[in-house]
Amino acid sequence: MHDIETIVIGAGAVGLACARALALSGREVMVLERHGLIGSETSARNSEVIHAGIYYPPGSLKAKLCLPGKQQLYRFCAENGIAHERIGKLIVAADEAQLPELERLHRQALDTDLDDLAFYDRNKLQEIEPELDCCGALWSPSTGIIDSHGFMLALQGGLEDRGGQVVLNSNVKRIEPTDDGYKLTVDTGDTGSYSLTCRELVVSAGHGAPGLMEDVAGANAPKAYLAKGNYFKLQGKAPFSRLVYPVPEPGGSGVHITLDLQHQARFGPDVEWVKDIDYEVDPARGDKFYAAIRSYWPGLPDNSLIPDYCGFRPKISGPGEPAEDFRIDGQRAHGRKGLVALYGIESPGLTSALAIGDFVVTLL
């Protein structure tokens, strides 16, 4: 007998989506979260953008899961009263040398069955966003913004409605395969530690997933890297009514402008490779933001950016290396029944969360 049929490690957006999907399939599900709140790491510190699925190579898990995940997410938000807005996004070419990259992105999007993009020339852009100064842009009407915490609360509610539970302040320190499942050693801080057994295990621990899996024989866990993304808030009225992104840069999407649900503007994230998690934003990093932003918004006033917040992408590829796809390892990858490990679930993880949950169910 096992203590719990199915355990999910990690109560971020993806872990909660997996847990809800597993509970909907009829399983008894428990989520173990090391922090005192759900979604308090990667899921709480991102752009809160619903991505269209533009950047991901055809056939990749990111492409396969982002497009259906986006549609599921919009439906889920509407059905559960989660604040969101289909605001749209412009990917802009600051000069003519960047236009071929827009063309490449457009072709790639078509190859992944994303067929709603349109090219806007300078005249069209001046008409709809007079503050923009660029040669052209890809318009993505299905990009949106979301209240990510409201989304996670709804996922938790869906899990609990099916009899599942989230247990906070429960830090899984060790995973040991048994003859018919898995034994976890869980540290609860002041109250000590205990063991818990399960038949099925989903490791959706974000930054912590590679470390948790490195001692599981056959897991072949990847090396973990940290890419810090800093955000700066714009003082004053937002210059645009849509999201504006430059062409992508290595490690991220470039310093872009996103709008929250109150249409306050913030810029970021940049890419800062670090060794440790530190949630302080260095004001000096804002100096580089001005030049990047003025490449497409020359009217950015001096001294108008103030440090806002930062987040950390759970990378499984390092500086100078090609971006890795999502890694969602089931039995075929590691040879162990009843185990799914998720690695490198960065953007578009939030958008893809519901589709990832369904995919994990199929792997079990």
Side-chain angles (χ1 to χ4, degrees), residues 15 89 94 108 117 122 125 148 163 167 173 188 222 229 233 269 272-273 306 317 322 330 356:
K89 175 173 80 173
Q108 178 173 277
L117 302 184
R122 182 186 291 274
L125 293 169
S148 59
V167 184
K173 305 295 287 186
T188 59
K233 184 185 297 184
E272 180 186 1
W273 295 97
I306 57 175
S317 54
I356 291 173

Side-chain angles (χ1 to χ4, degrees), residues 204-333:
S204 181
H207 301 290
L212 272 175
M213 292 296 295
E214 66 183 359
D215 290 331
V216 177
N220 190 30
K223 183 178 179 180
Y225 300 88
L226 287 176
K228 184 176 184 179
N230 300 279
Y231 293 84
F232 284 75
K233 184 185 297 184
L234 177 68
Q235 299 182 87
K237 184 181 178 182
F240 310 117
S241 59
R242 301 158 180 82
L243 309 185
V244 178
Y245 280 52
V247 295
E249 65 178 40
S253 302
V255 174
H256 51 264
I257 180 171
T258 58
L259 305 173
D260 62 22
L261 289 162
Q262 291 72 46
H263 283 220
Q264 282 291 116
R266 61 177 177 249
F267 288 92
D270 60 358
V271 179
E272 180 186 1
W273 295 97
V274 296
K275 296 292 186 183
D276 301 299
I277 290 180
D278 172 8
Y279 290 118
E280 292 294 319
V281 177
D282 179 3
R285 293 194 70 83
D287 296 342
K288 294 183 178 179
F289 274 55
Y290 285 92
I293 295 164
R294 283 173 176 152
S295 69
Y296 57 85
W297 179 35
L300 173 65
D302 289 336
N303 304 315
S304 59
L305 300 179
I306 57 175
D308 195 4
Y309 66 98
C310 67
F312 291 84
R313 304 170 181 90
K315 293 280 191 183
I316 53 174
S317 54
E321 298 176 357
E324 284 284 347
D325 195 9
F326 291 159
R327 254 188 71 179
I328 304 177
D329 289 3
Q331 184 174 356
R332 181 178 295 181

Side-chain angles (χ1 to χ4, degrees), residues 21 42 70 119 137 193 196 203 213 226 236 255 262 344 363:
T42 307
K70 172 185 64 177
F119 181 80
S193 63
L196 199 60
V203 181
M213 292 296 295
L226 287 176
V255 174
Q262 291 72 46
L363 292 179

